[in-house]
Amino acid sequence: MTTTRSAPDRLLAVLATFDHEHPALSLTDISRRAGLTLTTAHRLVAALTEWGALERDTSGVYHVGLRLWEVAALAPRGLALRQIALPYLEDLYEATHENVQLAVRDGGEVVYIEWISGRSAVGVHIRVGARWPLHATGVGLVLLAHGDAESQEEYCAGPLESFTPYTVTDPGRLRRMLADVRRTGVAVSSRQVTDDALSVAAPVRGPGGAVVAAVSVVVPHAEAQVPALVPAVRLAALGISRALG
């Protein structure tokens, strides 16, 4: 019921109606997806539009506004990190001509904040802002492996979604993989999201030494030359880490 939700909750509910599958919404759509009355949705959308969080086009449909982009640019794990990392990601692309990605952790998921598309056609197509479970991707394995022990155990004990016959869903095997990531400094995720892709990932460390992001290359599994990819990915991750201080 809308009467039990605070004003901030209702505002956030309006913004949460927008996602990659719903980048443009009518007022009626927003009302329905947010669980608000049309009157309440109209009032909140008007306030957000006036501030610049939303924009209304000539057909009356609403989109996310540039003001949110300006605010997001201040996020140290978002656009600010992307800006620092981009030269090193571009170098990694030039060295491999493969798909390059940068991701951060959000709870039990990775969020991709940059993606450079390579010449290889693999089944998984990542976009900026996309999310995947930690256990199913190279960047996710890196971020999970370098998290605290309690969160690792909680994640391993939870349901592990399967995407292909090769997705790791056994908690014991996942724990062993995480130990290998910490020991070797890289993660290799083979055919876990699609059965034709392999990724090699390495950790990016912040000023205090904690892992704040992960960088990887994604290549066709059949053509993967992992020993050749590992040094390139490590070098990119080290460069970004040094640039972060």
Side-chain angles (χ1 to χ4, degrees), residues 89-109:
L89 300 178
E90 291 173 339
D91 286 346
L92 180 57
Y93 171 79
E94 289 299 327
T96 63
H97 292 288
E98 300 291 359
N99 302 278
V100 174
Q101 52 188 303
L102 179 70
V104 297
R105 179 176 180 176
D106 186 18
E109 298 176 312

PDB file of all heavy atoms in Angstrom, residues 89-109:
ATOM      1  N   LEU A  89      42.386  -0.236 -20.191  1.00  0.00           N
ATOM      2  CA  LEU A  89      41.486  -1.156 -20.886  1.00  0.00           C
ATOM      3  C   LEU A  89      41.724  -1.089 -22.386  1.00  0.00           C
ATOM      4  O   LEU A  89      41.711  -2.117 -23.079  1.00  0.00           O
ATOM      5  CB  LEU A  89      40.031  -0.814 -20.568  1.00  0.00           C
ATOM      6  CG  LEU A  89      39.610  -0.872 -19.098  1.00  0.00           C
ATOM      7  CD1 LEU A  89      38.148  -0.456 -18.954  1.00  0.00           C
ATOM      8  CD2 LEU A  89      39.838  -2.249 -18.514  1.00  0.00           C
ATOM      9  N   GLU A  90      41.944   0.111 -22.886  1.00  0.00           N
ATOM     10  CA  GLU A  90      42.221   0.268 -24.318  1.00  0.00           C
ATOM     11  C   GLU A  90      43.540  -0.392 -24.690  1.00  0.00           C
ATOM     12  O   GLU A  90      43.669  -0.998 -25.760  1.00  0.00           O
ATOM     13  CB  GLU A  90      42.223   1.755 -24.680  1.00  0.00           C
ATOM     14  CG  GLU A  90      40.840   2.388 -24.602  1.00  0.00           C
ATOM     15  CD  GLU A  90      40.869   3.890 -24.797  1.00  0.00           C
ATOM     16  OE1 GLU A  90      41.946   4.496 -24.597  1.00  0.00           O
ATOM     17  OE2 GLU A  90      39.817   4.467 -25.136  1.00  0.00           O
ATOM     18  N   ASP A  91      44.550  -0.275 -23.802  1.00  0.00           N
ATOM     19  CA  ASP A  91      45.827  -0.955 -24.049  1.00  0.00           C
ATOM     20  C   ASP A  91      45.636  -2.474 -24.078  1.00  0.00           C
ATOM     21  O   ASP A  91      46.235  -3.163 -24.916  1.00  0.00           O
ATOM     22  CB  ASP A  91      46.846  -0.585 -22.962  1.00  0.00           C
ATOM     23  CG  ASP A  91      47.374   0.828 -23.115  1.00  0.00           C
ATOM     24  OD1 ASP A  91      47.169   1.437 -24.183  1.00  0.00           O
ATOM     25  OD2 ASP A  91      47.981   1.326 -22.147  1.00  0.00           O
ATOM     26  N   LEU A  92      44.799  -2.979 -23.161  1.00  0.00           N
ATOM     27  CA  LEU A  92      44.534  -4.415 -23.134  1.00  0.00           C
ATOM     28  C   LEU A  92      43.831  -4.855 -24.408  1.00  0.00           C
ATOM     29  O   LEU A  92      44.135  -5.924 -24.961  1.00  0.00           O
ATOM     30  CB  LEU A  92      43.687  -4.761 -21.905  1.00  0.00           C
ATOM     31  CG  LEU A  92      43.308  -6.229 -21.712  1.00  0.00           C
ATOM     32  CD1 LEU A  92      44.545  -7.125 -21.657  1.00  0.00           C
ATOM     33  CD2 LEU A  92      42.465  -6.397 -20.452  1.00  0.00           C
ATOM     34  N   TYR A  93      42.926  -4.029 -24.886  1.00  0.00           N
ATOM     35  CA  TYR A  93      42.257  -4.352 -26.142  1.00  0.00           C
ATOM     36  C   TYR A  93      43.263  -4.370 -27.306  1.00  0.00           C
ATOM     37  O   TYR A  93      43.242  -5.272 -28.152  1.00  0.00           O
ATOM     38  CB  TYR A  93      41.140  -3.359 -26.438  1.00  0.00           C
ATOM     39  CG  TYR A  93      40.580  -3.526 -27.829  1.00  0.00           C
ATOM     40  CD1 TYR A  93      39.676  -4.548 -28.114  1.00  0.00           C
ATOM     41  CD2 TYR A  93      40.999  -2.709 -28.877  1.00  0.00           C
ATOM     42  CE1 TYR A  93      39.200  -4.747 -29.394  1.00  0.00           C
ATOM     43  CE2 TYR A  93      40.531  -2.894 -30.164  1.00  0.00           C
ATOM     44  CZ  TYR A  93      39.626  -3.907 -30.413  1.00  0.00           C
ATOM     45  OH  TYR A  93      39.174  -4.108 -31.684  1.00  0.00           O
ATOM     46  N   GLU A  94      44.140  -3.378 -27.351  1.00  0.00           N
ATOM     47  CA  GLU A  94      45.121  -3.317 -28.433  1.00  0.00           C
ATOM     48  C   GLU A  94      46.070  -4.510 -28.396  1.00  0.00           C
ATOM     49  O   GLU A  94      46.544  -4.972 -29.438  1.00  0.00           O
ATOM     50  CB  GLU A  94      45.916  -2.005 -28.358  1.00  0.00           C
ATOM     51  CG  GLU A  94      45.109  -0.774 -28.723  1.00  0.00           C
ATOM     52  CD  GLU A  94      44.575  -0.824 -30.147  1.00  0.00           C
ATOM     53  OE1 GLU A  94      45.268  -1.399 -31.024  1.00  0.00           O
ATOM     54  OE2 GLU A  94      43.477  -0.306 -30.387  1.00  0.00           O
ATOM     55  N   ALA A  95      46.336  -5.015 -27.187  1.00  0.00           N
ATOM     56  CA  ALA A  95      47.244  -6.156 -27.056  1.00  0.00           C
ATOM     57  C   ALA A  95      46.573  -7.467 -27.436  1.00  0.00           C
ATOM     58  O   ALA A  95      47.261  -8.417 -27.855  1.00  0.00           O
ATOM     59  CB  ALA A  95      47.767  -6.241 -25.621  1.00  0.00           C
ATOM     60  N   THR A  96      45.254  -7.544 -27.301  1.00  0.00           N
ATOM     61  CA  THR A  96      44.558  -8.816 -27.517  1.00  0.00           C
ATOM     62  C   THR A  96      43.525  -8.787 -28.634  1.00  0.00           C
ATOM     63  O   THR A  96      43.213  -9.819 -29.217  1.00  0.00           O
ATOM     64  CB  THR A  96      43.828  -9.237 -26.233  1.00  0.00           C
ATOM     65  OG1 THR A  96      42.817  -8.260 -25.916  1.00  0.00           O
ATOM     66  CG2 THR A  96      44.804  -9.360 -25.065  1.00  0.00           C
ATOM     67  N   HIS A  97      42.968  -7.590 -28.899  1.00  0.00           N
ATOM     68  CA  HIS A  97      41.842  -7.417 -29.832  1.00  0.00           C
ATOM     69  C   HIS A  97      40.670  -8.306 -29.449  1.00  0.00           C
ATOM     70  O   HIS A  97      39.912  -8.755 -30.306  1.00  0.00           O
ATOM     71  CB  HIS A  97      42.284  -7.681 -31.275  1.00  0.00           C
ATOM     72  CG  HIS A  97      43.230  -6.657 -31.795  1.00  0.00           C
ATOM     73  ND1 HIS A  97      42.839  -5.375 -32.115  1.00  0.00           N
ATOM     74  CD2 HIS A  97      44.567  -6.713 -32.020  1.00  0.00           C
ATOM     75  CE1 HIS A  97      43.890  -4.679 -32.530  1.00  0.00           C
ATOM     76  NE2 HIS A  97      44.952  -5.472 -32.481  1.00  0.00           N
ATOM     77  N   GLU A  98      40.534  -8.545 -28.151  1.00  0.00           N
ATOM     78  CA  GLU A  98      39.437  -9.346 -27.633  1.00  0.00           C
ATOM     79  C   GLU A  98      38.525  -8.471 -26.776  1.00  0.00           C
ATOM     80  O   GLU A  98      38.825  -7.312 -26.508  1.00  0.00           O
ATOM     81  CB  GLU A  98      39.973 -10.532 -26.809  1.00  0.00           C
ATOM     82  CG  GLU A  98      40.853 -11.488 -27.578  1.00  0.00           C
ATOM     83  CD  GLU A  98      40.097 -12.307 -28.623  1.00  0.00           C
ATOM     84  OE1 GLU A  98      38.866 -12.155 -28.745  1.00  0.00           O
ATOM     85  OE2 GLU A  98      40.748 -13.115 -29.322  1.00  0.00           O
ATOM     86  N   ASN A  99      37.399  -9.055 -26.358  1.00  0.00           N
ATOM     87  CA  ASN A  99      36.444  -8.331 -25.535  1.00  0.00           C
ATOM     88  C   ASN A  99      37.053  -8.026 -24.169  1.00  0.00           C
ATOM     89  O   ASN A  99      37.545  -8.931 -23.483  1.00  0.00           O
ATOM     90  CB  ASN A  99      35.179  -9.167 -25.345  1.00  0.00           C
ATOM     91  CG  ASN A  99      34.526  -9.520 -26.667  1.00  0.00           C
ATOM     92  OD1 ASN A  99      33.789  -8.743 -27.253  1.00  0.00           O
ATOM     93  ND2 ASN A  99      34.807 -10.731 -27.161  1.00  0.00           N
ATOM     94  N   VAL A 100      37.011  -6.768 -23.778  1.00  0.00           N
ATOM     95  CA  VAL A 100      37.602  -6.310 -22.520  1.00  0.00           C
ATOM     96  C   VAL A 100      36.493  -5.748 -21.637  1.00  0.00           C
ATOM     97  O   VAL A 100      35.614  -5.029 -22.125  1.00  0.00           O
ATOM     98  CB  VAL A 100      38.677  -5.231 -22.774  1.00  0.00           C
ATOM     99  CG1 VAL A 100      39.188  -4.649 -21.462  1.00  0.00           C
ATOM    100  CG2 VAL A 100      39.830  -5.823 -23.594  1.00  0.00           C
ATOM    101  N   GLN A 101      36.546  -6.062 -20.343  1.00  0.00           N
ATOM    102  CA  GLN A 101      35.511  -5.579 -19.447  1.00  0.00           C
ATOM    103  C   GLN A 101      36.080  -5.181 -18.092  1.00  0.00           C
ATOM    104  O   GLN A 101      37.119  -5.695 -17.666  1.00  0.00           O
ATOM    105  CB  GLN A 101      34.424  -6.632 -19.269  1.00  0.00           C
ATOM    106  CG  GLN A 101      34.924  -8.002 -18.866  1.00  0.00           C
ATOM    107  CD  GLN A 101      33.819  -9.043 -18.895  1.00  0.00           C
ATOM    108  OE1 GLN A 101      32.816  -8.892 -18.238  1.00  0.00           O
ATOM    109  NE2 GLN A 101      34.038 -10.119 -19.636  1.00  0.00           N
ATOM    110  N   LEU A 102      35.376  -4.266 -17.446  1.00  0.00           N
ATOM    111  CA  LEU A 102      35.706  -3.815 -16.099  1.00  0.00           C
ATOM    112  C   LEU A 102      34.434  -3.901 -15.277  1.00  0.00           C
ATOM    113  O   LEU A 102      33.364  -3.468 -15.727  1.00  0.00           O
ATOM    114  CB  LEU A 102      36.219  -2.374 -16.122  1.00  0.00           C
ATOM    115  CG  LEU A 102      36.592  -1.746 -14.777  1.00  0.00           C
ATOM    116  CD1 LEU A 102      37.861  -2.395 -14.221  1.00  0.00           C
ATOM    117  CD2 LEU A 102      36.804  -0.236 -14.935  1.00  0.00           C
ATOM    118  N   ALA A 103      34.530  -4.482 -14.076  1.00  0.00           N
ATOM    119  CA  ALA A 103      33.335  -4.705 -13.268  1.00  0.00           C
ATOM    120  C   ALA A 103      33.624  -4.461 -11.797  1.00  0.00           C
ATOM    121  O   ALA A 103      34.763  -4.568 -11.337  1.00  0.00           O
ATOM    122  CB  ALA A 103      32.812  -6.129 -13.461  1.00  0.00           C
ATOM    123  N   VAL A 104      32.571  -4.125 -11.066  1.00  0.00           N
ATOM    124  CA  VAL A 104      32.630  -3.976  -9.613  1.00  0.00           C
ATOM    125  C   VAL A 104      31.569  -4.888  -9.001  1.00  0.00           C
ATOM    126  O   VAL A 104      30.681  -5.383  -9.690  1.00  0.00           O
ATOM    127  CB  VAL A 104      32.397  -2.517  -9.174  1.00  0.00           C
ATOM    128  CG1 VAL A 104      33.497  -1.613  -9.700  1.00  0.00           C
ATOM    129  CG2 VAL A 104      31.027  -2.016  -9.632  1.00  0.00           C
ATOM    130  N   ARG A 105      31.672  -5.076  -7.697  1.00  0.00           N
ATOM    131  CA  ARG A 105      30.724  -5.955  -6.997  1.00  0.00           C
ATOM    132  C   ARG A 105      29.601  -5.141  -6.377  1.00  0.00           C
ATOM    133  O   ARG A 105      29.819  -4.062  -5.834  1.00  0.00           O
ATOM    134  CB  ARG A 105      31.456  -6.735  -5.907  1.00  0.00           C
ATOM    135  CG  ARG A 105      30.542  -7.671  -5.111  1.00  0.00           C
ATOM    136  CD  ARG A 105      31.307  -8.492  -4.100  1.00  0.00           C
ATOM    137  NE  ARG A 105      30.413  -9.379  -3.350  1.00  0.00           N
ATOM    138  CZ  ARG A 105      30.823 -10.268  -2.444  1.00  0.00           C
ATOM    139  NH1 ARG A 105      32.131 -10.386  -2.180  1.00  0.00           N
ATOM    140  NH2 ARG A 105      29.945 -11.030  -1.807  1.00  0.00           N
ATOM    141  N   ASP A 106      28.400  -5.685  -6.464  1.00  0.00           N
ATOM    142  CA  ASP A 106      27.245  -5.135  -5.765  1.00  0.00           C
ATOM    143  C   ASP A 106      26.496  -6.303  -5.143  1.00  0.00           C
ATOM    144  O   ASP A 106      25.714  -6.980  -5.809  1.00  0.00           O
ATOM    145  CB  ASP A 106      26.336  -4.355  -6.720  1.00  0.00           C
ATOM    146  CG  ASP A 106      25.200  -3.646  -5.994  1.00  0.00           C
ATOM    147  OD1 ASP A 106      25.296  -3.460  -4.766  1.00  0.00           O
ATOM    148  OD2 ASP A 106      24.210  -3.280  -6.650  1.00  0.00           O
ATOM    149  N   GLY A 107      26.763  -6.571  -3.882  1.00  0.00           N
ATOM    150  CA  GLY A 107      26.143  -7.708  -3.212  1.00  0.00           C
ATOM    151  C   GLY A 107      26.597  -9.015  -3.817  1.00  0.00           C
ATOM    152  O   GLY A 107      27.793  -9.302  -3.887  1.00  0.00           O
ATOM    153  N   GLY A 108      25.657  -9.816  -4.285  1.00  0.00           N
ATOM    154  CA  GLY A 108      25.975 -11.101  -4.880  1.00  0.00           C
ATOM    155  C   GLY A 108      26.131 -11.051  -6.380  1.00  0.00           C
ATOM    156  O   GLY A 108      26.134 -12.102  -7.037  1.00  0.00           O
ATOM    157  N   GLU A 109      26.292  -9.848  -6.944  1.00  0.00           N
ATOM    158  CA  GLU A 109      26.382  -9.698  -8.399  1.00  0.00           C
ATOM    159  C   GLU A 109      27.582  -8.840  -8.781  1.00  0.00           C
ATOM    160  O   GLU A 109      28.103  -8.065  -7.980  1.00  0.00           O
ATOM    161  CB  GLU A 109      25.115  -9.035  -8.949  1.00  0.00           C
ATOM    162  CG  GLU A 109      23.841  -9.830  -8.710  1.00  0.00           C
ATOM    163  CD  GLU A 109      22.618  -9.089  -9.192  1.00  0.00           C
ATOM    164  OE1 GLU A 109      22.497  -7.881  -8.865  1.00  0.00           O
ATOM    165  OE2 GLU A 109      21.780  -9.692  -9.869  1.00  0.00           O
TER     166      GLU A 109
END
